[in-house]
Amino acid sequence: VCLDFGHAHMDGDVLDAIETVSGHLITTHVHDNHGRADEHLAPFDGTIDWPAAMTAVQKIGYDQTLLFELAAHGSTKETLVKAQRARQKLERLLAD
């Protein structure tokens, strides 16, 4: 299973989706939104609870790739800067 965090958020409950795919998860699509549209924002730019999501990912033992799937919002350079900042925040969450 490829868990798409943004799609799970639009469908309702990211944490439930993580638990549901436990044992079947082989990759991810990591992006954020405001729960209504498939915006493909950088993590932390929407309304997904990333600290809770990363705790749930660790709880199910997933330690593979977190693949960002982002759309450009602004220039490509701005999008890459946001992606880098989001990656650093996610890495800090996973290190705790």
Side-chain angles (χ1 to χ4, degrees):
V1 171
C2 173
L3 175 63
D4 189 304
F5 285 81
H7 296 175
H9 187 48
M10 290 188 325
D11 287 342
D13 190 339
V14 173
L15 302 181
D16 185 51
I18 294 167
E19 186 175 317
T20 299
V21 301
S22 175
H24 305 282
L25 186 60
I26 60 169
T27 194
T28 62
H29 286 172
V30 176
H31 57 98
D32 211 336
N33 60 53
H34 292 94
R36 297 177 304 275
D38 197 16
E39 299 168 274
H40 289 263
L41 302 171
F44 306 97
D45 283 355
T47 55
I48 291 176
D49 182 348
W50 290 104
M54 291 301 99
T55 297
V57 163
Q58 288 178 313
K59 182 178 175 184
I60 67 165
Y62 181 76
D63 63 355
Q64 301 300 309
T65 301
L66 295 172
L67 179 68
F68 281 24
E69 184 185 25
L70 306 179
H73 294 276
S75 72
T76 301
K77 185 176 181 176
E78 290 169 334
T79 302
L80 289 171
V81 167
K82 285 184 178 185
Q84 183 178 20
R85 288 182 188 146
R87 177 184 171 193
Q88 291 168 344
K89 287 181 181 179
L90 291 175
E91 286 176 343
R92 283 194 296 272
L93 289 172
L94 292 169
D96 289 342

